[in-house]
Amino acid sequence: MAVTKTLTKAIPFEKNSKVEEWDLQMTYENDSEGDATYYTSTFSARAVAADGDFTAKAKADWTKSQLEALCPTSSWDNVFASQVDSVITNPVVTPVPDTAYSIPS
């Protein structure tokens, strides 16, 4: 299962020309859309300089890899793997009623 992670949203919150907070979103996908094992999930996080998540700096000084590093991907990796396991690998099978069943005599 090949998992791709794509940073799909990065909204900066600025104060005094420096980013103080980031609203981030990352989309995970395994396989290709249309495949039987395809699954996608989107995760969101907020990183805050005042909480020690990063050092405030100008918006233009940020790189994509720095933004991706603010995402808690190790946690999201585990959640995504669990989601794939429960939906694709080991789905819950719901019992089907047999309404035509006859009670033995």
Side-chain angles (χ1 to χ4, degrees):
M1 168 180 78
V3 176
T4 58
K5 305 171 200 176
T6 307
L7 187 64
T8 51
K9 181 173 80 170
I11 299 173
F13 292 75
E14 297 175 278
K15 179 179 171 186
N16 298 323
S17 300
K18 292 185 177 182
V19 177
E20 295 288 331
E21 296 183 32
W22 282 103
D23 183 11
L24 303 162
Q25 185 177 69
M26 187 173 279
T27 299
Y28 279 56
E29 293 179 286
N30 73 310
D31 296 330
S32 298
E33 194 168 354
D35 290 350
T37 56
Y38 176 75
Y39 187 77
T40 184
S41 191
T42 302
F43 300 94
S44 298
R46 184 162 291 227
V48 181
D51 291 346
D53 296 334
F54 63 90
T55 301
K57 62 182 177 181
K59 178 174 48 183
D61 293 340
W62 287 88
T63 65
K64 182 179 178 185
S65 62
Q66 289 172 329
L67 293 171
E68 290 171 338
L70 293 176
C71 296
T73 54
S74 60
S75 172
W76 292 347
D77 291 350
N78 292 334
V79 172
F80 186 72
S82 177
Q83 289 172 338
V84 169
D85 185 57
S86 66
V87 174
I88 303 294
T89 310
N90 297 304
V92 174
V93 179
T94 305
V96 177
D98 180 359
T99 57
Y101 177 77
S102 297
I103 299 171
S105 48

